């Protein structure tokens, strides 16, 4: 199991606390500050995918997401605007994240939650976790872990999620899979 330390901030979901959170853009803009309010200004809802470069489940999940994004480019039935999605790396090691990005190019905005403020504010407990936020900073849905473990089924779930977010439709339920293995990397001290 992978370990990710996310910090120790109190839970705050009101807009003012979240609007002041700044992340560091790693792709396509190298190391520029991005506020959550900038991301939400463009869309009614956004998808933030919290991952760790050290987490095997994050790596598997990102491969399925890349596959969904490639399919979106070829198939008009898979709705979505890539700008509603941001990959948010948690963890203190920028060099580790850069090594991961060199081996796995991601075709979307890639951010670093350097101090873990956003992850803590949204009470992200494990990676990977997908959070869907509304323009008024409400957490609409959270999908923790890499479920289903089947890459094709996860890709299909993610395609439904992208389509729902971009079209303003109801969000899909969390995929159900009966498994006795773990599906995420839990934080530990």
């Amino acid at each position: 199991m992978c370990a990710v330390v996310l910090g120790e901030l109190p839970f705050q979901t009101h807009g003012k606390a979240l609007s002041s959170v700044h992340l560091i853009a790693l792709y396509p803009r190298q190391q520029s500050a991005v506020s959550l309010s900038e991301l939400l200004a463009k869309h009614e809802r956004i998808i933030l995918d919290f991952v760790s470069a050290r987490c095997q489940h994050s790596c598997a999940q990102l491969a399925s997401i890349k596959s969904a994004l490639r399919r979106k480019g070829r198939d008009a039935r898979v709705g979505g605007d890539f700008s509603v999605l941001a990959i948010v790396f948690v963890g203190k090691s920028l060099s580790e994240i850069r090594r991961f990005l060199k081996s796995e190019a991601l075709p979307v905005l890639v951010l670093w939650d350097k101090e873990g403020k956003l992850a803590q504010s949204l009470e992200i407990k494990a990676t990977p976790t997908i959070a869907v936020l509304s323009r008024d900073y409400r957490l609409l849905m959270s999908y923790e872990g890499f479920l289903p473990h089947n890459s094709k089924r996860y890709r299909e779930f993610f395609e439904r999620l992208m389509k729902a977010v971009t079209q303003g439709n109801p969000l899909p339920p969390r995929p159900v899979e009966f498994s006795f293995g773990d599906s995420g990397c839990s934080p530990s001290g």
Side-chain angles (χ1 to χ4, degrees):
M1 179 170 292
C2 306
V4 180
V5 178
L6 298 179
E8 298 180 12
L9 293 174
F11 179 63
Q12 299 176 2
T13 56
H14 51 339
K16 187 157 177 64
L18 289 179
S19 67
S20 64
V21 171
H22 282 79
L23 305 164
I24 298 171
L26 300 176
Y27 180 84
R29 300 175 290 182
Q30 292 292 314
Q31 291 196 299
S32 60
V34 175
S35 71
L36 192 55
S37 58
E38 286 177 67
L39 297 175
L40 287 165
K42 299 175 187 170
H43 304 285
E44 291 296 318
R45 302 186 285 183
I46 60 169
I47 301 169
L48 300 174
D49 183 17
F50 290 87
V51 297
S52 169
R54 293 184 286 160
C55 174
Q56 65 190 14
H57 302 292
S58 291
C59 296
Q61 182 228 39
L62 286 172
S64 293
I65 288 174
K66 281 175 56 175
S67 175
L69 296 175
R70 279 194 302 271
R71 271 179 48 96
K72 191 274 176 199
R74 293 191 307 263
D75 187 345
R77 292 174 298 153
V78 180
D81 172 0
F82 291 3
S83 67
V84 301
L85 170 65
I87 306 298
V88 182
F89 278 88
V90 295
K92 304 260 184 233
S93 174
L94 180 58
S95 61
E96 197 171 80
I97 295 168
R98 282 195 173 141
R99 269 194 309 277
F100 177 85
L101 291 173
K102 278 187 179 181
S103 66
E104 291 291 329
L106 299 168
V108 295
L109 180 62
V110 178
L111 304 168
W112 180 29
D113 188 11
K114 181 179 180 180
E115 296 171 11
K117 288 182 181 179
L118 182 57
Q120 285 296 308
S121 293
L122 296 174
E123 293 189 337
I124 303 300
K125 304 286 186 224
T127 59
T129 293
I130 290 179
V132 180
L133 292 180
S134 67
R135 184 174 278 167
D136 61 357
Y137 302 98
R138 285 182 302 124
L139 179 62
L140 301 174
M141 184 72 83
S142 177
Y143 303 92
E144 186 177 292
F146 176 59
L147 286 173
H149 291 293
N150 177 298
S151 294
K152 181 180 181 224
R153 287 188 50 223
Y154 191 88
R155 184 196 73 224
E156 291 167 351
F157 156 74
F158 190 77
E159 289 170 352
R160 286 191 308 275
L161 177 63
M162 284 283 292
K163 191 171 189 173
V165 167
T166 57
Q167 295 179 357
N169 296 332
L171 299 173
R174 176 180 171 79
V176 176
E177 180 174 284
F178 297 101
S179 170
F180 296 103
D182 63 284
S183 64
C185 303
S186 60
S188 67

